Amino acid sequence: MKKSIALLFAGALVTGFAFAGGIENKTNMSTGYLRNPSRNVEAERPESSFYNIAGTGFMEKGLHIEAGNQFIFKEYSNTIATNVKDPSSGAVLVKDGTKSNDETIVWFYPNIDIVYKWNNFAFFGNFGIYAGGGKLEYSEGTSVTALAFLGKAGEAKTAAATAYAKNDMANYAKYGTQAQNL
């Protein structure tokens, strides 16, 4: 029983890393964070409900609401660092420096923080797209998808060569076209 609980706990920790998406460069928690990233001692504005929950106890009595929206102008890109060659012929399939880009503009990236302070109690809530969000669109694919398709193209090319050696022209044309498309 103890082992299964330990394995479940370890699996939960590892799963978080499997979905990591570059949190170190996407920490646009709120519009307040963009003004001043040192928010951990916030005790005057409603965003303390996200950064410093204990700070809500020092706010003035009443309802506090803060809402924001961010416009994100970004450019993500990735580059294949080395030539990718066909193992059978040695021909260069993808040249060093092939670059994939995404320049999608995010127009709506909201956040809202609400705190209601009453005597010694504070009730609060948050909504936001914390540590990432937005969308990416690589219309031409990425370096990873390019390499994945090259593997499939190599398999199709091998199948076409085998069909040609067996004088099976129907499969030769089928796999040859598939290899070219990939």
Side-chain angles (χ1 to χ4, degrees), residues 151-172:
K152 292 294 183 187
E155 291 173 12
K157 185 177 176 185
T158 303
T162 304
Y164 185 77
K166 294 180 179 177
N167 205 17
D168 181 2
M169 292 302 143
N171 280 330
Y172 171 70

Side-chain angles (χ1 to χ4, degrees), residues 31-47:
T31 52
Y33 182 86
L34 294 174
R35 286 190 308 266
N36 179 4
S38 179
R39 309 305 299 159
N40 296 334
V41 295
E42 181 62 62
E44 295 178 2
R45 290 187 280 282
E47 60 188 330

Side-chain angles (χ1 to χ4, degrees), residues 31-110:
T31 52
Y33 182 86
L34 294 174
R35 286 190 308 266
N36 179 4
S38 179
R39 309 305 299 159
N40 296 334
V41 295
E42 181 62 62
E44 295 178 2
R45 290 187 280 282
E47 60 188 330
S48 66
S49 63
F50 179 77
Y51 297 105
N52 181 17
I53 296 171
T56 60
F58 298 99
M59 294 177 71
E60 292 183 23
K61 291 181 182 179
L63 180 64
H64 306 272
I65 299 174
E66 180 176 346
N69 183 46
Q70 301 172 49
F71 303 105
I72 302 174
F73 303 95
K74 61 184 170 42
E75 179 181 339
Y76 288 103
S77 65
N78 53 52
T79 305
I80 295 179
T82 59
N83 287 337
V84 178
K85 296 182 180 180
D86 182 351
S88 59
S89 68
V92 176
L93 299 173
V94 179
K95 291 184 179 181
D96 177 16
T98 299
K99 190 173 184 179
S100 302
N101 287 324
D102 170 67
E103 297 174 3
T104 305
I105 297 173
V106 179
W107 297 105
F108 187 63
Y109 197 90

Side-chain angles (χ1 to χ4, degrees), residues 2 17 28 40-41 89 96 120 137 145 171 175:
K2 289 181 182 180
F17 293 112
N28 44 347
N40 296 334
V41 295
S89 68
D96 177 16
N120 293 330
E137 183 177 320
T145 57
N171 280 330
Y175 290 122

Side-chain angles (χ1 to χ4, degrees), residues 88-157:
S88 59
S89 68
V92 176
L93 299 173
V94 179
K95 291 184 179 181
D96 177 16
T98 299
K99 190 173 184 179
S100 302
N101 287 324
D102 170 67
E103 297 174 3
T104 305
I105 297 173
V106 179
W107 297 105
F108 187 63
Y109 197 90
N111 69 286
I112 186 167
D113 303 302
I114 301 171
V115 176
Y116 180 73
K117 173 75 183 324
W118 176 67
N119 293 332
N120 293 330
F121 298 98
F123 302 95
F124 57 87
N126 309 86
F127 170 78
I129 306 168
Y130 304 114
K135 72 177 189 174
L136 297 174
E137 183 177 320
Y138 290 93
S139 59
E140 299 297 319
T142 65
S143 58
V144 173
T145 57
L147 294 174
F149 283 119
L150 284 175
K152 292 294 183 187
E155 291 173 12
K157 185 177 176 185

